[in-house]
Amino acid sequence: MEILCHLEILFRNAIDRQFPASEADAQLTVLSPDVWLCDPSVLTDESREKVNDAIGRLQRERKQPTRGRVISSLSFGFWQALFSGVYEDLWRTRLSGAFPHGNGRRRQIANLSGPILHFRNRIAHHEAIFSSDLPARQDQILTLAGIIDPEAQSYIAALSRVQKLLLEMP
């Protein structure tokens, strides 16, 4: 879970960096079209609804819904969904820049992030992962991190205890 958490933060921040900062970042509302997260020309209605839900949760917690807080409140599933075919134009105009060490194809990110999301959700819901190919899952996580930033990949790899734990597994 530790390396998944690092990847999730790296992934969402790399995506968010592809959009310019705005004065509206300090106080997002469902009516903030100048912030990419609320712009109907950027996100589908379904994705914007998830953003609106995150804004509502923050407001109920009496926290100001800044861009950074909303970004961190959105699920890995939200971020992974940005690599579906419906976002092909967004990939070409913005998102591809978040993955400078990849092959330039949206499908590469979708094919890596989809299984990682499924695996992450299994862990988060306390499902058994003993029958999973754990070295392959770690490789996917590190590969996606490396496509974003090779230094971050090295950092995450150095933190990983997966190999050590696999050697100790009875």
Side-chain angles (χ1 to χ4, degrees):
M1 192 66 177
E2 182 178 24
I3 64 173
L4 282 165
C5 290
H6 285 284
L7 174 68
E8 187 169 346
I9 293 166
L10 177 68
F11 191 68
R12 72 179 187 221
N13 289 347
I15 293 167
D16 183 51
R17 278 194 302 271
Q18 302 313 301
F19 298 89
S22 162
E23 289 182 25
D25 291 349
Q27 177 70 38
L28 271 66
T29 68
V30 295
L31 303 173
S32 301
D34 50 337
V35 177
W36 77 272
L37 290 165
C38 304
D39 188 341
S41 70
V42 175
L43 296 178
T44 64
D45 290 344
E46 181 181 352
S47 292
R48 281 195 342 276
E49 186 61 36
K50 291 177 181 178
V51 172
N52 294 340
D53 290 346
I55 290 170
R57 274 192 311 275
L58 288 166
Q59 290 172 332
R60 284 189 299 281
E61 295 170 2
R62 302 198 188 289
K63 294 179 181 175
Q64 187 171 343
T66 63
R67 179 170 167 169
R69 282 186 177 141
V70 173
I71 294 291
S72 64
S73 296
L74 293 165
S75 70
F76 191 74
F78 170 88
W79 300 107
Q80 196 279 328
L82 295 177
F83 300 95
S84 68
V86 70
Y87 286 114
E88 182 65 33
D89 288 340
L90 185 60
W91 169 259
R92 290 182 186 153
T93 59
R94 297 281 183 165
L95 297 183
S96 61
F99 305 93
H101 304 283
N103 66 14
R105 295 194 173 115
R106 176 189 54 77
R107 174 71 55 209
Q108 180 187 33
I109 307 309
N111 288 343
L112 283 167
S113 61
I116 291 170
L117 170 66
H118 177 73
F119 183 66
R120 178 224 174 270
N121 288 345
R122 286 187 63 203
I123 291 172
H125 294 279
H126 305 285
E127 294 178 27
I129 59 169
F130 302 114
S131 63
S132 297
D133 185 349
L134 300 176
R137 293 292 170 251
Q138 177 181 252
D139 288 346
Q140 287 175 324
I141 292 165
L142 294 175
T143 298
L144 184 54
I147 289 171
I148 299 167
D149 182 346
E151 287 183 37
Q153 177 188 34
S154 296
Y155 175 80
I156 293 169
L159 288 176
S160 178
R161 296 176 295 134
V162 173
Q163 293 300 327
K164 179 181 180 282
L165 293 171
L166 286 174
L167 290 172
E168 295 173 0
M169 191 168 67

Short mmCIF file of all heavy atoms in Angstrom, two decimals, residues 43-100:
data_model
loop_
_atom_site.label_atom_id
_atom_site.label_comp_id
_atom_site.label_asym_id
_atom_site.label_seq_id
_atom_site.Cartn_x
_atom_site.Cartn_y
_atom_site.Cartn_z
N LEU A 43 -13.97 18.27 -18.59
CA LEU A 43 -14.42 17.02 -17.97
C LEU A 43 -15.86 16.68 -18.36
O LEU A 43 -16.67 17.57 -18.58
CB LEU A 43 -14.34 17.11 -16.44
CG LEU A 43 -12.94 17.27 -15.84
CD1 LEU A 43 -13.04 17.39 -14.33
CD2 LEU A 43 -12.04 16.12 -16.23
N THR A 44 -16.15 15.41 -18.38
CA THR A 44 -17.52 14.95 -18.63
C THR A 44 -18.40 15.32 -17.45
O THR A 44 -17.91 15.63 -16.35
CB THR A 44 -17.57 13.43 -18.83
OG1 THR A 44 -17.16 12.80 -17.59
CG2 THR A 44 -16.68 12.96 -19.97
N ASP A 45 -19.71 15.24 -17.66
CA ASP A 45 -20.64 15.51 -16.57
C ASP A 45 -20.39 14.58 -15.39
O ASP A 45 -20.42 15.01 -14.23
CB ASP A 45 -22.09 15.34 -17.05
CG ASP A 45 -22.52 16.42 -18.03
OD1 ASP A 45 -21.84 17.47 -18.12
OD2 ASP A 45 -23.55 16.22 -18.71
N GLU A 46 -20.13 13.31 -15.68
CA GLU A 46 -19.88 12.33 -14.62
C GLU A 46 -18.65 12.70 -13.80
O GLU A 46 -18.67 12.64 -12.57
CB GLU A 46 -19.73 10.94 -15.22
CG GLU A 46 -19.49 9.86 -14.20
CD GLU A 46 -19.31 8.48 -14.83
OE1 GLU A 46 -19.52 8.32 -16.04
OE2 GLU A 46 -18.94 7.56 -14.07
N SER A 47 -17.58 13.08 -14.47
CA SER A 47 -16.35 13.46 -13.76
C SER A 47 -16.56 14.73 -12.96
O SER A 47 -16.10 14.84 -11.82
CB SER A 47 -15.20 13.63 -14.74
OG SER A 47 -14.84 12.39 -15.31
N ARG A 48 -17.25 15.71 -13.54
CA ARG A 48 -17.51 16.95 -12.80
C ARG A 48 -18.40 16.69 -11.59
O ARG A 48 -18.26 17.35 -10.56
CB ARG A 48 -18.12 18.01 -13.72
CG ARG A 48 -17.08 18.68 -14.59
CD ARG A 48 -17.50 19.96 -15.28
NE ARG A 48 -18.91 20.21 -15.38
CZ ARG A 48 -19.73 19.72 -16.33
NH1 ARG A 48 -19.25 18.93 -17.27
NH2 ARG A 48 -21.02 20.03 -16.33
N GLU A 49 -19.29 15.72 -11.68
CA GLU A 49 -20.12 15.36 -10.53
C GLU A 49 -19.25 14.85 -9.38
O GLU A 49 -19.49 15.17 -8.21
CB GLU A 49 -21.17 14.33 -10.92
CG GLU A 49 -22.15 14.01 -9.82
CD GLU A 49 -22.98 15.22 -9.37
OE1 GLU A 49 -23.33 16.05 -10.21
OE2 GLU A 49 -23.25 15.31 -8.16
N LYS A 50 -18.21 14.09 -9.71
CA LYS A 50 -17.29 13.61 -8.67
C LYS A 50 -16.52 14.77 -8.05
O LYS A 50 -16.27 14.78 -6.84
CB LYS A 50 -16.34 12.56 -9.26
CG LYS A 50 -17.07 11.27 -9.61
CD LYS A 50 -16.16 10.26 -10.24
CE LYS A 50 -16.98 9.01 -10.60
NZ LYS A 50 -16.20 8.00 -11.25
N VAL A 51 -16.16 15.75 -8.86
CA VAL A 51 -15.50 16.95 -8.34
C VAL A 51 -16.47 17.69 -7.42
O VAL A 51 -16.09 18.11 -6.32
CB VAL A 51 -15.01 17.86 -9.49
CG1 VAL A 51 -14.52 19.20 -8.95
CG2 VAL A 51 -13.92 17.17 -10.30
N ASN A 52 -17.70 17.83 -7.86
CA ASN A 52 -18.71 18.52 -7.04
C ASN A 52 -18.93 17.79 -5.72
O ASN A 52 -19.11 18.42 -4.68
CB ASN A 52 -20.03 18.66 -7.81
CG ASN A 52 -19.90 19.58 -9.00
OD1 ASN A 52 -18.98 20.38 -9.08
ND2 ASN A 52 -20.81 19.44 -9.95
N ASP A 53 -18.92 16.46 -5.75
CA ASP A 53 -19.06 15.68 -4.51
C ASP A 53 -17.89 15.97 -3.57
O ASP A 53 -18.08 16.11 -2.35
CB ASP A 53 -19.13 14.19 -4.81
CG ASP A 53 -20.42 13.77 -5.48
OD1 ASP A 53 -21.39 14.55 -5.49
OD2 ASP A 53 -20.46 12.63 -6.03
N ALA A 54 -16.68 16.05 -4.13
CA ALA A 54 -15.49 16.34 -3.31
C ALA A 54 -15.60 17.74 -2.71
O ALA A 54 -15.28 17.94 -1.52
CB ALA A 54 -14.22 16.20 -4.14
N ILE A 55 -16.06 18.70 -3.49
CA ILE A 55 -16.24 20.06 -2.99
C ILE A 55 -17.26 20.05 -1.84
O ILE A 55 -17.03 20.65 -0.79
CB ILE A 55 -16.69 21.01 -4.12
CG1 ILE A 55 -15.53 21.23 -5.11
CG2 ILE A 55 -17.17 22.35 -3.56
CD1 ILE A 55 -15.92 21.96 -6.39
N GLY A 56 -18.36 19.35 -2.04
CA GLY A 56 -19.39 19.26 -1.00
C GLY A 56 -18.88 18.63 0.28
O GLY A 56 -19.19 19.11 1.38
N ARG A 57 -18.09 17.54 0.16
CA ARG A 57 -17.51 16.90 1.35
C ARG A 57 -16.63 17.88 2.11
O ARG A 57 -16.69 17.97 3.34
CB ARG A 57 -16.69 15.67 0.96
CG ARG A 57 -17.47 14.40 0.81
CD ARG A 57 -16.58 13.17 0.70
NE ARG A 57 -15.50 13.28 -0.28
CZ ARG A 57 -15.62 13.02 -1.58
NH1 ARG A 57 -16.78 12.66 -2.09
NH2 ARG A 57 -14.58 13.12 -2.37
N LEU A 58 -15.80 18.61 1.39
CA LEU A 58 -14.91 19.58 2.04
C LEU A 58 -15.72 20.67 2.74
O LEU A 58 -15.40 21.06 3.87
CB LEU A 58 -13.95 20.19 1.02
CG LEU A 58 -12.85 19.25 0.52
CD1 LEU A 58 -12.18 19.80 -0.72
CD2 LEU A 58 -11.83 18.97 1.61
N GLN A 59 -16.76 21.14 2.09
CA GLN A 59 -17.59 22.18 2.70
C GLN A 59 -18.29 21.66 3.95
O GLN A 59 -18.38 22.37 4.95
CB GLN A 59 -18.60 22.72 1.68
CG GLN A 59 -17.94 23.54 0.59
CD GLN A 59 -18.89 23.91 -0.53
OE1 GLN A 59 -19.85 23.21 -0.83
NE2 GLN A 59 -18.58 25.03 -1.19
N ARG A 60 -18.77 20.42 3.91
CA ARG A 60 -19.41 19.83 5.09
C ARG A 60 -18.42 19.69 6.24
O ARG A 60 -18.80 19.75 7.41
CB ARG A 60 -20.04 18.47 4.75
CG ARG A 60 -21.34 18.59 3.97
CD ARG A 60 -22.05 17.27 3.84
NE ARG A 60 -21.31 16.24 3.13
CZ ARG A 60 -21.18 16.16 1.80
NH1 ARG A 60 -21.75 17.05 1.02
NH2 ARG A 60 -20.50 15.16 1.26
N GLU A 61 -17.15 19.49 5.92
CA GLU A 61 -16.09 19.40 6.93
C GLU A 61 -15.60 20.78 7.34
O GLU A 61 -14.63 20.90 8.09
CB GLU A 61 -14.92 18.57 6.39
CG GLU A 61 -15.27 17.12 6.13
CD GLU A 61 -14.17 16.38 5.37
OE1 GLU A 61 -13.10 16.98 5.07
OE2 GLU A 61 -14.38 15.20 5.06
N ARG A 62 -16.25 21.81 6.81
CA ARG A 62 -15.90 23.21 7.09
C ARG A 62 -14.47 23.55 6.64
O ARG A 62 -13.75 24.31 7.30
CB ARG A 62 -16.11 23.55 8.55
CG ARG A 62 -17.54 23.33 9.01
CD ARG A 62 -17.83 24.05 10.30
NE ARG A 62 -19.09 23.74 10.89
CZ ARG A 62 -20.30 24.10 10.43
NH1 ARG A 62 -20.39 24.75 9.31
NH2 ARG A 62 -21.40 23.78 11.08
N LYS A 63 -14.08 22.95 5.53
CA LYS A 63 -12.78 23.23 4.93
C LYS A 63 -13.01 23.98 3.62
O LYS A 63 -13.94 23.66 2.87
CB LYS A 63 -12.01 21.95 4.64
CG LYS A 63 -11.63 21.19 5.89
CD LYS A 63 -10.89 19.92 5.54
CE LYS A 63 -10.52 19.14 6.79
NZ LYS A 63 -9.91 17.85 6.45
N GLN A 64 -12.18 24.95 3.38
CA GLN A 64 -12.28 25.68 2.13
C GLN A 64 -11.87 24.76 0.98
O GLN A 64 -10.79 24.15 1.02
CB GLN A 64 -11.37 26.91 2.17
CG GLN A 64 -11.55 27.81 0.98
CD GLN A 64 -10.80 29.13 1.16
OE1 GLN A 64 -10.43 29.50 2.26
NE2 GLN A 64 -10.60 29.84 0.07
N PRO A 65 -12.70 24.62 -0.04
CA PRO A 65 -12.39 23.70 -1.15
C PRO A 65 -11.40 24.32 -2.14
O PRO A 65 -11.77 24.74 -3.24
CB PRO A 65 -13.75 23.43 -1.78
CG PRO A 65 -14.56 24.65 -1.47
CD PRO A 65 -14.06 25.16 -0.16
N THR A 66 -10.15 24.38 -1.75
CA THR A 66 -9.11 24.88 -2.65
C THR A 66 -8.81 23.82 -3.71
O THR A 66 -9.17 22.65 -3.57
CB THR A 66 -7.82 25.18 -1.87
OG1 THR A 66 -7.35 23.95 -1.31
CG2 THR A 66 -8.05 26.20 -0.78
N ARG A 67 -8.14 24.23 -4.74
CA ARG A 67 -7.77 23.29 -5.80
C ARG A 67 -6.98 22.12 -5.22
O ARG A 67 -7.25 20.97 -5.53
CB ARG A 67 -6.97 24.02 -6.87
CG ARG A 67 -6.52 23.14 -8.02
CD ARG A 67 -5.95 24.00 -9.12
NE ARG A 67 -5.23 23.25 -10.12
CZ ARG A 67 -4.83 23.77 -11.27
NH1 ARG A 67 -5.08 25.03 -11.55
NH2 ARG A 67 -4.17 23.04 -12.13
N GLY A 68 -6.01 22.41 -4.38
CA GLY A 68 -5.19 21.35 -3.80
C GLY A 68 -5.99 20.38 -2.96
O GLY A 68 -5.78 19.16 -3.04
N ARG A 69 -6.91 20.88 -2.18
CA ARG A 69 -7.74 19.99 -1.35
C ARG A 69 -8.68 19.14 -2.21
O ARG A 69 -8.89 17.97 -1.90
CB ARG A 69 -8.55 20.80 -0.34
CG ARG A 69 -7.75 21.26 0.84
CD ARG A 69 -8.62 21.93 1.87
NE ARG A 69 -7.83 22.31 3.02
CZ ARG A 69 -7.99 23.43 3.69
NH1 ARG A 69 -8.94 24.29 3.34
NH2 ARG A 69 -7.23 23.71 4.72
N VAL A 70 -9.24 19.75 -3.24
CA VAL A 70 -10.13 18.98 -4.11
C VAL A 70 -9.32 17.91 -4.85
O VAL A 70 -9.74 16.75 -4.92
CB VAL A 70 -10.89 19.90 -5.09
CG1 VAL A 70 -11.67 19.08 -6.12
CG2 VAL A 70 -11.82 20.83 -4.33
N ILE A 71 -8.15 18.28 -5.34
CA ILE A 71 -7.28 17.31 -6.03
C ILE A 71 -7.01 16.12 -5.12
O ILE A 71 -7.14 14.97 -5.53
CB ILE A 71 -5.93 17.98 -6.42
CG1 ILE A 71 -6.13 19.06 -7.47
CG2 ILE A 71 -4.90 16.95 -6.87
CD1 ILE A 71 -6.52 18.59 -8.83
N SER A 72 -6.66 16.37 -3.87
CA SER A 72 -6.33 15.27 -2.97
C SER A 72 -7.56 14.51 -2.49
O SER A 72 -7.43 13.40 -1.99
CB SER A 72 -5.50 15.77 -1.78
OG SER A 72 -6.25 16.66 -1.00
N SER A 73 -8.75 15.08 -2.66
CA SER A 73 -9.98 14.41 -2.24
C SER A 73 -10.53 13.47 -3.31
O SER A 73 -11.41 12.66 -3.02
CB SER A 73 -11.06 15.45 -1.90
OG SER A 73 -10.66 16.22 -0.80
N LEU A 74 -10.05 13.60 -4.51
CA LEU A 74 -10.56 12.77 -5.60
C LEU A 74 -9.89 11.39 -5.59
O LEU A 74 -8.70 11.28 -5.30
CB LEU A 74 -10.35 13.47 -6.95
CG LEU A 74 -11.17 14.74 -7.12
CD1 LEU A 74 -10.66 15.57 -8.29
CD2 LEU A 74 -12.64 14.40 -7.31
N SER A 75 -10.65 10.39 -5.91
CA SER A 75 -10.16 9.01 -5.84
C SER A 75 -9.20 8.69 -6.99
O SER A 75 -9.19 9.35 -8.03
CB SER A 75 -11.34 8.04 -5.90
OG SER A 75 -11.91 8.06 -7.21
N PHE A 76 -8.44 7.64 -6.78
CA PHE A 76 -7.56 7.14 -7.85
C PHE A 76 -8.40 6.76 -9.06
O PHE A 76 -7.98 6.94 -10.21
CB PHE A 76 -6.74 5.96 -7.34
CG PHE A 76 -5.63 5.55 -8.28
CD1 PHE A 76 -4.49 6.31 -8.41
CD2 PHE A 76 -5.74 4.40 -9.04
CE1 PHE A 76 -3.46 5.93 -9.27
CE2 PHE A 76 -4.73 4.01 -9.90
CZ PHE A 76 -3.59 4.78 -10.02
N GLY A 77 -9.61 6.27 -8.82
CA GLY A 77 -10.52 5.93 -9.92
C GLY A 77 -10.87 7.13 -10.77
O GLY A 77 -11.00 7.02 -12.00
N PHE A 78 -11.05 8.28 -10.14
CA PHE A 78 -11.31 9.51 -10.89
C PHE A 78 -10.16 9.78 -11.85
O PHE A 78 -10.36 10.06 -13.03
CB PHE A 78 -11.48 10.70 -9.93
CG PHE A 78 -11.52 12.03 -10.63
CD1 PHE A 78 -12.71 12.54 -11.11
CD2 PHE A 78 -10.36 12.77 -10.82
CE1 PHE A 78 -12.76 13.76 -11.77
CE2 PHE A 78 -10.39 14.00 -11.48
CZ PHE A 78 -11.59 14.50 -11.96
N TRP A 79 -8.94 9.72 -11.31
CA TRP A 79 -7.76 10.03 -12.13
C TRP A 79 -7.56 9.00 -13.23
O TRP A 79 -7.24 9.35 -14.37
CB TRP A 79 -6.52 10.13 -11.23
CG TRP A 79 -6.69 11.20 -10.22
CD1 TRP A 79 -6.91 11.04 -8.88
CD2 TRP A 79 -6.72 12.60 -10.45
NE1 TRP A 79 -7.06 12.27 -8.27
CE2 TRP A 79 -6.95 13.24 -9.22
CE3 TRP A 79 -6.57 13.39 -11.60
CZ2 TRP A 79 -7.03 14.62 -9.10
CZ3 TRP A 79 -6.65 14.76 -11.47
CH2 TRP A 79 -6.88 15.37 -10.24
N GLN A 80 -7.76 7.74 -12.91
CA GLN A 80 -7.59 6.68 -13.91
C GLN A 80 -8.61 6.82 -15.04
O GLN A 80 -8.29 6.56 -16.20
CB GLN A 80 -7.69 5.31 -13.23
CG GLN A 80 -7.17 4.16 -14.06
CD GLN A 80 -8.15 3.67 -15.10
OE1 GLN A 80 -9.36 3.71 -14.90
NE2 GLN A 80 -7.63 3.21 -16.21
N ALA A 81 -9.81 7.27 -14.72
CA ALA A 81 -10.86 7.42 -15.73
C ALA A 81 -10.50 8.46 -16.79
O ALA A 81 -11.04 8.43 -17.91
CB ALA A 81 -12.18 7.79 -15.06
N LEU A 82 -9.57 9.35 -16.49
CA LEU A 82 -9.16 10.36 -17.47
C LEU A 82 -8.42 9.76 -18.66
O LEU A 82 -8.10 10.46 -19.62
CB LEU A 82 -8.29 11.43 -16.80
CG LEU A 82 -8.97 12.28 -15.73
CD1 LEU A 82 -7.97 13.25 -15.11
CD2 LEU A 82 -10.16 13.03 -16.30
N PHE A 83 -8.16 8.46 -18.60
CA PHE A 83 -7.43 7.80 -19.69
C PHE A 83 -8.32 6.88 -20.51
O PHE A 83 -7.85 6.07 -21.30
CB PHE A 83 -6.19 7.11 -19.12
CG PHE A 83 -5.31 8.13 -18.48
CD1 PHE A 83 -5.39 8.37 -17.12
CD2 PHE A 83 -4.50 8.95 -19.24
CE1 PHE A 83 -4.65 9.38 -16.53
CE2 PHE A 83 -3.76 9.97 -18.66
CZ PHE A 83 -3.84 10.18 -17.31
N SER A 84 -9.63 7.04 -20.34
CA SER A 84 -10.58 6.30 -21.17
C SER A 84 -10.66 7.01 -22.53
O SER A 84 -10.22 8.16 -22.68
CB SER A 84 -11.95 6.23 -20.51
OG SER A 84 -12.54 7.52 -20.47
N GLY A 85 -11.24 6.35 -23.49
CA GLY A 85 -11.32 6.89 -24.84
C GLY A 85 -12.05 8.21 -24.95
O GLY A 85 -11.75 9.02 -25.82
N VAL A 86 -12.99 8.47 -24.05
CA VAL A 86 -13.76 9.71 -24.09
C VAL A 86 -12.86 10.93 -23.89
O VAL A 86 -13.19 12.04 -24.31
CB VAL A 86 -14.92 9.69 -23.08
CG1 VAL A 86 -14.42 9.76 -21.65
CG2 VAL A 86 -15.93 10.79 -23.34
N TYR A 87 -11.69 10.72 -23.31
CA TYR A 87 -10.76 11.82 -23.05
C TYR A 87 -9.58 11.85 -24.03
O TYR A 87 -8.53 12.42 -23.71
CB TYR A 87 -10.25 11.74 -21.61
CG TYR A 87 -11.28 12.17 -20.59
CD1 TYR A 87 -11.81 11.26 -19.69
CD2 TYR A 87 -11.72 13.48 -20.55
CE1 TYR A 87 -12.75 11.66 -18.75
CE2 TYR A 87 -12.67 13.89 -19.61
CZ TYR A 87 -13.17 12.97 -18.72
OH TYR A 87 -14.10 13.38 -17.79
N GLU A 88 -9.74 11.28 -25.20
CA GLU A 88 -8.65 11.26 -26.19
C GLU A 88 -8.18 12.68 -26.52
O GLU A 88 -6.97 12.93 -26.59
CB GLU A 88 -9.08 10.54 -27.46
CG GLU A 88 -7.99 10.44 -28.52
CD GLU A 88 -6.78 9.59 -28.10
OE1 GLU A 88 -6.94 8.62 -27.35
OE2 GLU A 88 -5.65 9.92 -28.52
N ASP A 89 -9.10 13.61 -26.73
CA ASP A 89 -8.70 14.99 -27.03
C ASP A 89 -7.95 15.62 -25.86
O ASP A 89 -6.97 16.34 -26.07
CB ASP A 89 -9.91 15.86 -27.40
CG ASP A 89 -10.47 15.52 -28.77
OD1 ASP A 89 -9.74 14.91 -29.59
OD2 ASP A 89 -11.65 15.85 -29.01
N LEU A 90 -8.41 15.35 -24.65
CA LEU A 90 -7.72 15.87 -23.46
C LEU A 90 -6.31 15.28 -23.38
O LEU A 90 -5.36 15.98 -23.01
CB LEU A 90 -8.52 15.56 -22.20
CG LEU A 90 -7.99 16.16 -20.90
CD1 LEU A 90 -7.94 17.68 -20.96
CD2 LEU A 90 -8.84 15.68 -19.73
N TRP A 91 -6.17 14.01 -23.75
CA TRP A 91 -4.85 13.38 -23.78
C TRP A 91 -3.94 14.15 -24.72
O TRP A 91 -2.81 14.49 -24.37
CB TRP A 91 -4.96 11.92 -24.20
CG TRP A 91 -3.62 11.32 -24.50
CD1 TRP A 91 -3.07 11.12 -25.73
CD2 TRP A 91 -2.63 10.89 -23.56
NE1 TRP A 91 -1.81 10.59 -25.61
CE2 TRP A 91 -1.51 10.44 -24.29
CE3 TRP A 91 -2.59 10.85 -22.17
CZ2 TRP A 91 -0.38 9.95 -23.68
CZ3 TRP A 91 -1.45 10.36 -21.55
CH2 TRP A 91 -0.36 9.91 -22.31
N ARG A 92 -4.42 14.41 -25.92
CA ARG A 92 -3.59 15.07 -26.93
C ARG A 92 -3.22 16.49 -26.56
O ARG A 92 -2.10 16.93 -26.84
CB ARG A 92 -4.31 15.06 -28.27
CG ARG A 92 -4.41 13.69 -28.87
CD ARG A 92 -5.09 13.72 -30.21
NE ARG A 92 -5.28 12.35 -30.68
CZ ARG A 92 -6.22 11.99 -31.49
NH1 ARG A 92 -7.08 12.87 -31.96
NH2 ARG A 92 -6.33 10.72 -31.85
N THR A 93 -4.17 17.21 -25.95
CA THR A 93 -3.92 18.62 -25.66
C THR A 93 -3.23 18.87 -24.33
O THR A 93 -2.52 19.87 -24.20
CB THR A 93 -5.24 19.42 -25.69
OG1 THR A 93 -6.14 18.88 -24.72
CG2 THR A 93 -5.88 19.39 -27.06
N ARG A 94 -3.42 18.00 -23.35
CA ARG A 94 -2.88 18.26 -22.01
C ARG A 94 -2.18 17.07 -21.36
O ARG A 94 -1.06 17.18 -20.92
CB ARG A 94 -4.02 18.69 -21.07
CG ARG A 94 -4.71 19.95 -21.43
CD ARG A 94 -3.89 21.12 -21.00
NE ARG A 94 -4.64 22.34 -21.31
CZ ARG A 94 -4.36 23.49 -20.83
NH1 ARG A 94 -3.37 23.62 -20.00
NH2 ARG A 94 -5.04 24.55 -21.18
N LEU A 95 -2.92 15.98 -21.23
CA LEU A 95 -2.47 14.90 -20.34
C LEU A 95 -1.20 14.21 -20.77
O LEU A 95 -0.45 13.73 -19.93
CB LEU A 95 -3.59 13.87 -20.16
CG LEU A 95 -4.87 14.39 -19.50
CD1 LEU A 95 -5.86 13.26 -19.32
CD2 LEU A 95 -4.57 15.07 -18.18
N SER A 96 -0.93 14.16 -22.07
CA SER A 96 0.28 13.47 -22.51
C SER A 96 1.53 14.11 -21.91
O SER A 96 2.53 13.43 -21.68
CB SER A 96 0.36 13.46 -24.04
OG SER A 96 0.40 14.79 -24.55
N GLY A 97 1.47 15.41 -21.61
CA GLY A 97 2.61 16.09 -21.01
C GLY A 97 2.95 15.61 -19.61
O GLY A 97 4.06 15.82 -19.12
N ALA A 98 2.00 14.95 -18.96
CA ALA A 98 2.24 14.43 -17.61
C ALA A 98 3.09 13.16 -17.63
O ALA A 98 3.56 12.73 -16.58
CB ALA A 98 0.91 14.15 -16.91
N PHE A 99 3.29 12.60 -18.81
CA PHE A 99 3.97 11.30 -18.94
C PHE A 99 5.08 11.39 -19.98
O PHE A 99 5.06 10.71 -21.01
CB PHE A 99 2.93 10.23 -19.31
CG PHE A 99 1.80 10.19 -18.33
CD1 PHE A 99 0.65 10.93 -18.55
CD2 PHE A 99 1.92 9.46 -17.16
CE1 PHE A 99 -0.38 10.92 -17.63
CE2 PHE A 99 0.88 9.45 -16.22
CZ PHE A 99 -0.27 10.20 -16.46
N PRO A 100 6.08 12.23 -19.71
CA PRO A 100 7.11 12.52 -20.72
C PRO A 100 8.01 11.33 -21.07
O PRO A 100 8.68 11.36 -22.11
CB PRO A 100 7.93 13.64 -20.08
CG PRO A 100 7.72 13.48 -18.60
CD PRO A 100 6.32 12.95 -18.46
#
